[in-house]
Amino acid sequence: MELLGFPILLLVKILFTTFNGILFTQSGLDKVFHYQGNLDYFKDHFKKSPLASTVELLMPVITLLETSAGLISLVGVVLLLFGNDSGSTTSALGMCLGGVSLTCLFFGQRLAQDYAGAATLVPYFLMTMAGLVLYMF
């Protein structure tokens, strides 16, 4: 069965991966373009956690993870749209990096005892994992 000229499964993969691409590209680039503001926020947010002394080291790591997850996902979408065989692998890699990013963020939120903040990440993680599972088919 097709919708909009695409097999349904491919269309769903494209939509999941596009969502992932937008989410992580925007989040990562926000950290790039507003680095000091984000760094100041995270330093304050984690000041009473075991991560307090590592924020300056971890900020570039999460920025790189998020930006990579987003951009790789978007490249995967383009490859899928053009029927390139490597589109699924590229998209799955982007989804996987998104899951790693969210796991890192979740870990940090839990250590900071920001349970509400950690809870807001769960729907994004579930969406990312559901999208990743689609690439098994």
Side-chain angles (χ1 to χ4, degrees):
M1 187 164 144
E2 290 191 0
L3 183 63
L4 303 172
F6 292 97
I8 295 290
L9 182 59
L10 178 60
L11 185 60
V12 172
K13 287 178 181 179
I14 289 169
L15 290 171
F16 266 98
T17 309
T18 300
F19 187 94
N20 199 61
I22 293 167
L23 172 69
F24 289 107
T25 301
Q26 185 279 325
S27 184
L29 290 180
D30 178 67
K31 287 177 180 65
V32 169
F33 292 119
H34 303 107
Y35 193 83
Q36 192 58 52
N38 278 283
L39 183 61
D40 292 342
Y41 170 79
F42 285 122
K43 281 182 178 179
D44 184 59
H45 189 72
F46 292 107
K47 68 183 173 196
K48 295 179 183 175
S49 84
L51 296 176
S53 64
T54 63
V55 171
E56 288 189 32
L57 175 67
L58 295 176
M59 178 78 172
V61 172
I62 197 65
T63 301
L64 182 63
L65 272 172
E66 287 184 342
T67 307
S68 297
L71 294 176
I72 291 170
S73 293
L74 293 176
V75 168
V77 168
V78 171
L79 292 172
L80 287 173
L81 287 170
F82 286 101
N84 189 305
D85 290 340
S86 64
S88 287
T89 302
T90 305
S91 296
L93 175 60
M95 300 294 280
C96 188
L97 284 172
V100 170
S101 298
L102 288 164
T103 301
C104 291
L105 291 167
F106 183 79
F107 176 74
Q109 295 291 63
R110 295 294 296 192
L111 279 182
Q113 297 182 341
D114 180 3
Y115 302 117
T120 64
L121 298 172
V122 173
Y124 294 115
F125 182 77
L126 293 174
M127 182 280 312
T128 300
M129 292 301 98
L132 185 57
V133 166
L134 286 175
Y135 286 98
M136 294 172 54
F137 301 104

